[in-house]
Amino acid sequence: MSAFLRSEIVTVTDYRAELGETPVWCQRTQSLLWVDILNQRLLRYWPETASFETRALPSLTSAALLTDQQDLFLLIAQDGLALYDYLSEKRSLLCGYAGAEGTRPNEAAVAPDGSLWFGTMDIKEEDKIGGWYRYETGDAAPVLMMDNVGTPNTLAWHEGKVWFADSVRKRFYSGNARRINPLKLSCYSPGDKTPDGSALSEDGLLLTACWGNHCLLRQKINQGELLTLDALPLPVTQPSCCTFGGAGMNQLFITSARTGLENPGEIEGALLQVTTSARGAGQNLFRL
């Protein structure tokens, strides 16, 4: 066990996602939300009581994010952006889908200013026809910030910059924290790893699930640079994203996927949990 990981890695619930993604910790309700994109499911887990719920969604959805109203979530879906009232199970569309034909939504997160950022990608995962978009309350439609994107992943804000990745290109980027300017980006290599979703600690530690690589890549953001520390092995082949949570914000939750594996093992697609020596930064809230 590494000095960073303070417990064994365990599986959470018996659910196995085809494509588990975008875990989000809600501090108000002490619960974790994530989605099974391909099975169109919203998943929720309360660690204190070990309670688990799953909800069917009417459209392919890549994320359920927190808003400034408790239990009212922002869904990033194939048919557009929608608000979902968890208690009544009512879903109301805010605007239509902004991506190009043949794409679907992927990575999504709320920025420090309360706006939504999300990426789109080729459904067939063949062409670089995806993009990065920004949306805030009052906009008629999401605003395109960057096109010619392969598979958009990772969204983290630190030191006045936004950090994001393109899994197809196997690159991390950093740029202006308020809006991506494709002409003014810094680029970083993760070596032979394929970066997927990431979690950020309070002190700038970037933890990235590496698709197909059985590991978490541990890097440090320091004065505008991305410094690679090490890679921590995981018991799943396709870790997809991670986030900090728990009462002390030192629990790391990691999603994974079974899709595309010829002979998936029993825990492929599971949600994993491990105690760490770091504390996570809290989630930003979408401003309604």
Side-chain angles (χ1 to χ4, degrees):
M1 191 181 303
S2 73
F4 175 72
L5 300 181
R6 298 293 178 86
S7 73
E8 297 296 328
I9 300 172
V10 298
T11 59
V12 177
T13 84
D14 294 329
Y15 187 90
R16 301 294 181 259
E18 192 66 17
L19 180 53
E21 263 287 8
T22 329
V24 172
W25 179 256
C26 177
Q27 289 180 288
R28 291 174 296 195
T29 60
Q30 291 292 292
S31 65
L32 183 82
L33 294 100
W34 73 108
V35 294
D36 184 346
I37 295 178
L38 298 182
N39 284 324
Q40 296 180 199
R41 291 289 186 272
L42 172 61
L43 312 168
R44 194 173 188 183
Y45 174 67
W46 290 262
E48 187 174 347
T49 58
S51 301
F52 173 68
E53 293 182 358
T54 177
R55 299 277 179 86
L57 297 171
S59 178
L60 183 150
T61 302
S62 68
L65 304 179
L66 307 181
T67 74
D68 54 16
Q69 295 185 32
Q70 184 171 315
D71 283 327
L72 185 63
F73 304 122
L74 179 63
L75 303 182
I76 292 76
Q78 186 74 65
D79 63 346
L81 306 180
L83 290 177
Y84 180 76
D85 187 315
Y86 195 84
L87 300 181
S88 68
E89 300 187 42
K90 291 182 179 179
R91 180 180 180 272
S92 55
L93 204 63
L94 292 175
C95 65
Y97 178 66
E101 185 177 352
T103 66
R104 69 162 177 83
N106 198 50
E107 184 66 82
V110 178
D113 65 2
S115 65
L116 165 69
W117 291 35
F118 69 96
T120 62
M121 59 176 282
D122 180 11
I123 294 175
K124 298 180 179 179
E125 301 183 34
E126 295 173 352
D127 300 321
K128 299 181 183 69
I129 57 174
W132 281 109
Y133 294 82
R134 181 182 183 277
Y135 176 84
E136 62 181 318
T137 298
D139 287 346
V143 177
L144 178 66
M145 296 185 288
M146 181 176 177
D147 59 8
N148 192 33
V149 174
T151 302
N153 272 306
T154 293
L155 274 175
W157 287 263
H158 191 65
E159 293 184 343
K161 293 185 176 183
V162 63
W163 300 79
F164 60 99
D166 189 326
S167 300
V168 170
R169 291 184 168 88
K170 294 190 176 184
R171 289 291 184 271
F172 286 101
Y173 302 91
S174 68
N176 185 283
R178 290 193 60 82
R179 193 177 300 268
I180 295 173
N181 181 344
L183 302 178
K184 295 182 179 181
L185 294 177
S186 297
C187 180
Y188 306 87
S189 171
D192 61 349
K193 305 295 189 295
T194 300
D196 206 314
S198 301
L200 182 70
S201 73
E202 288 180 327
D203 59 354
L205 187 66
L206 188 70
L207 298 168
T208 303
C210 294
W211 183 269
N213 299 127
H214 300 83
C215 73
L216 281 176
L217 185 62
R218 207 162 63 103
Q219 297 170 294
K220 180 75 171 179
I221 301 173
N222 184 34
Q223 297 182 357
E225 295 298 322
L226 189 60
L227 310 174
T228 297
L229 303 177
D230 54 26
L232 305 175
L234 294 175
V236 292
T237 306
Q238 297 175 157
S240 54
C241 195
C242 53
T243 194
F244 285 99
M249 290 300 289
N250 65 338
Q251 300 295 310
L252 190 68
F253 295 95
I254 307 161
T255 53
S256 67
R258 300 173 68 84
T259 183
L261 297 177
E262 290 187 9
N263 298 295
E266 190 278 325
I267 68 169
E268 304 287 4
L271 175 70
L272 306 178
Q273 180 179 352
V274 62
T275 305
T276 75
S277 61
R279 282 176 50 87
Q283 299 284 342
N284 299 313
L285 306 178
F286 181 72
R287 294 179 183 172
L288 294 171

